[in-house]
């Protein structure tokens, strides 16, 4: 599986580390970042999102744009978010 990852915070960075431990992962593509030289060869920069199996993002804003990008590429989108408790009256 090839996962395009937009890691803007700790949740995205942690997800990347966890995914690298998965045996079925063939590549992680970084969106908007370059991989560090000399690290895991499976980490690359994303070119065309259509070349990837799924897009994962922990970005807090611009969600409409991310949905559009994934839809245009024809791939699923996974978003990280925080659950907020509802206040009881």
């Amino acid at each position: 599986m090839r996962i395009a990852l937009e890691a803007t915070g700790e949740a995205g960075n942690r997800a990347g580390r966890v995914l690298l431990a998965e045996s079925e992962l063939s590549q992680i593509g970084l969106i908007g970042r370059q991989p560090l030289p000399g690290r895991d060869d499976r980490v690359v920069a994303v070119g065309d999102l259509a070349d990837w199996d799924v897009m994962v993002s922990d970005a807090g804003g611009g969600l409409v744009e991310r949905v559009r990008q994934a839809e245009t590429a024809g791939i699923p989108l996974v978003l990280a978010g925080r659950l907020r408790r509802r206040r009881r009256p």
Side-chain angles (χ1 to χ4, degrees):
M1 174 170 278
R2 299 180 76 223
I3 298 174
L5 175 64
E6 179 182 41
T8 63
E10 184 55 35
N13 291 329
R14 189 175 323 125
R17 289 190 299 271
V18 169
L19 289 167
L20 283 170
E22 290 295 321
S23 61
E24 293 185 21
L25 179 82
S26 57
Q27 282 188 318
I28 287 184
L30 301 180
I31 298 173
R33 294 171 47 185
Q34 292 295 318
L36 296 173
R39 299 286 181 133
D40 195 312
D41 291 340
R42 295 174 297 163
V43 181
V44 299
V46 168
D48 184 357
L49 275 175
D51 295 333
W52 297 85
D53 298 315
V54 64
M55 178 181 177
V56 176
S57 176
D58 70 345
L63 299 180
V64 172
E65 176 63 19
R66 275 151 197 85
V67 169
R68 185 194 63 72
Q69 289 172 321
E71 184 177 58
T72 299
I75 60 174
L77 171 62
V78 177
L79 297 171
R82 292 186 207 158
L83 296 176
R84 295 185 184 169
R85 291 185 176 195
R86 289 179 48 187
R87 292 186 182 179
R88 295 184 181 204

